[in-house]
């Protein structure tokens, strides 16, 4: 009996030690994200100003230090670079948490925030606003017409998926197929409208689809940050239920959870958060796939720490990619695809070796 007690105590000690390590790694990821946002704020300067001028401007606005000379310098760093860096961090975090949740509830390592067809719906909404001048809300024009169109139509695929879940019993694989079908439909519709559009308007629609952060500034930050914080906090409150979902639908039923109910709530929360982000930035790929895999390899599968770690890794990935995008004068979605593709392949190979040869 004493041996059993000693074995139980050893297991408990090991488990608590493992949890402490997870907390430390998670805190480290979050600190790294904050440091990267601050450090890359200066690196992203692709003007003739010095690297440290960025921090001089930041110190002037935050702490009242002596201001660098020139209104142009202040405008570049405070009005353009800093809000873009902060928005990039929250957009990356939202996409990463969305990808983490989708991979858990659909039990598919290739799932991402766009699995439900959000990106295709948003792309169609942006296309009809940019290429055809059609606004779903009368009176809206310009950037806000694009944002509102993208947001409204990005939720249509999610609504269709939820309707399927409510009216018939579906497996995660069937729900993914529903999302793929809707994605192809909206993709085809966007192509048709682009063929009908004036050629001079096509570049704007095409650039929106590549993913960008150029148009997000201080005035749009409260919406992006607010949606990300509220959505992430609500998802974190579901972390215990998501842990149960790791056991599969039968395991969740055994532990007293309704997997379809959990899947419905998580799908709704994730879709709302990601829809807001995508409406402002377009489709930025690979963040939601790569970040959860990086965290899973380094921290294990405890959902609470996975969500926090994914947020931090996603923020670092997108801020770094956006800094490089500004230097190369390319859309951030292009840079993220170039970086994310090889990184994702490396993670898959590493994970395969761990599962089969360790």
């Amino acid at each position: 009996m004493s041996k059993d007690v000693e074995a139980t105590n050893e297991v408990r000690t090991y488990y608590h030690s493992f949890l402490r390590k997870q907390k430390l790694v998670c805190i480290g990821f979050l600190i790294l994200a904050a440091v990267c946002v601050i450090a890359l704020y200066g690196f992203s300067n692709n003007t003739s100003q010095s690297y440290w001028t960025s921090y001089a401007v930041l110190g002037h606005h935050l702490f009242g230090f002596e201001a660098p000379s020139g209104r142009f310098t202040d405008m570049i760093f405070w009005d353009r670079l800093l809000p873009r860096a902060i928005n990039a961090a929250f957009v990356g975090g939202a996409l990463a948490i969305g990808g983490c949740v989708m991979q858990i509830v659909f039990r598919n390592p290739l799932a991402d925030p766009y699995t439900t067809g959000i990106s295709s719906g948003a792309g169609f909404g942006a296309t009809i606003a940019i290429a055809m001048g059609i606004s779903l809300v009368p009176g809206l024009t310009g950037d806000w017409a694009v944002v509102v169109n993208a947001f409204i139509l990005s939720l249509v695929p999610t609504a269709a998926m939820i309707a399927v879940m409510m009216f018939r019993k579906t497996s995660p694989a069937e729900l993914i197929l529903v999302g793929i079908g809707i994605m192809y439909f909206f993709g085809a519709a966007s192509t048709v409208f682009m063929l009908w559009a004036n050629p001079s308007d096509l570049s704007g629609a095409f650039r929106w689809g590549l993913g960008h952060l150029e148009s997000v500034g201080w005035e749009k930050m409260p919406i992006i940050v607010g949606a990300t914080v509220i959505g992430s906090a609500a998802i974190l409150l579901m972390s215990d239920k998501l842990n149960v979902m790791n056991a599969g639908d039968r395991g969740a039923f055994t532990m007293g959870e309704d997997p379809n109910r959990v899947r419905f709530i998580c799908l709704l929360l994730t879709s709302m958060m990601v829809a807001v982000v995508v409406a402002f930035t377009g489709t930025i790929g690979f963040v939601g796939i790569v970040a959860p895999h990086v965290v899973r390899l380094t921290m294990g599968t405890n959902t609470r720490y996975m969500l926090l770690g994914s947020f931090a890794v996603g923020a670092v990935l997108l801020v770094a990619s956006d800094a490089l995008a500004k230097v190369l004068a390319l859309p951030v979605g292009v840079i993220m695809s170039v970086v994310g593709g090889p990184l994702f392949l490396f993670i898959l190979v590493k994970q395969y070796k761990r599962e089969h040869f360790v």
Side-chain angles (χ1 to χ4, degrees), residues 190-255:
S190 298
T191 302
V192 170
F193 275 92
M194 290 179 75
L195 290 173
W196 289 344
N198 189 322
S200 62
D201 297 324
L202 292 180
S203 61
F206 178 72
R207 188 172 181 83
W208 188 95
L210 293 176
H212 62 90
L213 290 166
E214 291 91 344
S215 62
V216 290
W218 291 115
E219 72 282 358
K220 296 174 181 175
M221 185 186 296
I223 302 175
I224 294 174
V225 173
T228 301
V229 170
I230 293 171
S232 300
I235 291 170
L236 279 170
L237 292 176
M238 299 282 294
S239 59
D240 291 337
K241 298 182 184 297
L242 287 171
N243 263 332
V244 173
M245 292 292 287
N246 282 323
D249 285 9
R250 289 186 179 180
F253 271 122
T254 303
M255 288 181 272

Side-chain angles (χ1 to χ4, degrees), residues 35 106 127 135 187 229 235 292 305 324:
V35 170
F106 288 122
T127 298
S135 175
V229 170
I235 291 170
Y305 302 120
L324 186 58

